[in-house]
Amino acid sequence: MDKQKLVLVGGGGHCRAVLAQIKQLGKFEVVGVIDERDSIGLDLPVLGRDRDLDRIYDSGVHLALVTVGSTGDNANRQRLCRLVTEKGFSLPVIVSATAMVDETVTIGAGTVIMAGSIVNVNTVIGINSIVNSGAIIEHDCRIGDHCHIAPGACLSGGVQVGDLGFIGAGSTIIQNIKVGKEATIGAGSVVIEDVPDNSVVAGNPARIIRYKF
């Protein structure tokens, strides 16, 4: 079967990590990267800037994947996702060959499930999200659009994360907690209470540090 042509949107460390997973799957031909820099340290051509997406689509490449990472703010990933879909691109789902994802899990377009992660039964993950290396999402969780579950984070059963939520590396969220839209959980936090929209929390137990507005 012919491989599907795919353009990556955004270079950098996360792009390199995602590319490694894509290569293992053997389903896609990555034709290059869209980035604001001329060189990104990858053995892939930089095909242009955001403004060049129309040209790339017209050349016959109709799949795009947002490969910009995030460190607490997912707004740029949301912007890029909207841009590529408005240009007509479809967004594939990438699930690492070493991830464990139950067959009942629903995964939205453009979401990436990275190496060694576990996503358990009846969980729903929205579009353009990242479940990063070694993260655990237990049964019946609901993860919104444009979220990032960072490496080693553990979400117990029934956790809900609102759109653009960021769950920091190594953090733990106990069962049935609700994390609000655009909330950020600091690395290593232990979350035992619901987290409001637009808040930044950290610590053990996690406490509100500030709001984003």
Side-chain angles (χ1 to χ4, degrees), residues 102-121:
D102 188 81
E103 63 181 8
T104 62
V105 171
T106 300
I107 304 173
T111 286
V112 177
I113 312 294
M114 296 294 283
S117 54
I118 298 172
V119 186
N120 224 323
V121 61

Side-chain angles (χ1 to χ4, degrees), residues 2-171:
D2 292 340
K3 293 182 178 180
Q4 301 177 76
K5 292 183 177 181
L6 171 65
V7 62
L8 306 181
V9 182
H14 181 65
C15 179
R16 292 193 295 272
V18 173
L19 180 61
Q21 306 310 312
I22 292 172
K23 287 180 176 179
Q24 288 184 13
L25 295 174
K27 298 178 180 179
F28 302 97
E29 176 191 348
V30 179
V31 298
V33 182
I34 292 291
D35 201 271
E36 295 303 311
R37 298 163 293 178
D38 294 325
S39 177
I40 57 172
L42 281 173
D43 188 22
L44 285 173
V46 176
L47 301 177
R49 311 297 195 259
D50 294 354
R51 62 179 177 271
D52 296 303
L53 283 166
D54 285 324
R55 172 179 56 80
I56 293 166
Y57 186 88
D58 291 342
S59 75
V61 180
H62 296 159
L63 291 179
L65 187 69
V66 177
T67 48
V68 171
S70 66
T71 54
D73 185 354
N74 293 309
N76 192 39
R77 286 183 51 82
Q78 180 188 47
R79 178 188 69 82
L80 291 170
C81 179
R82 288 176 173 173
L83 178 63
V84 296
T85 53
E86 287 169 359
K87 299 295 185 182
F89 289 91
S90 297
L91 283 69
V93 171
I94 304 297
V95 178
S96 169
T98 64
M100 297 178 62
V101 179
D102 188 81
E103 63 181 8
T104 62
V105 171
T106 300
I107 304 173
T111 286
V112 177
I113 312 294
M114 296 294 283
S117 54
I118 298 172
V119 186
N120 224 323
V121 61
N122 290 332
T123 286
V124 177
I125 303 173
I127 67 169
N128 190 44
S129 290
I130 303 168
V131 179
N132 222 320
S133 305
I136 298 173
I137 301 178
E138 266 300 338
H139 61 88
D140 301 300
C141 288
R142 297 293 181 267
I143 311 300
D145 298 336
H146 318 292
C147 291
H148 186 172
I149 313 301
C154 179
L155 280 60
S156 300
V159 168
Q160 299 179 37
V161 180
D163 294 347
L164 290 101
F166 181 89
I167 312 301
S171 56

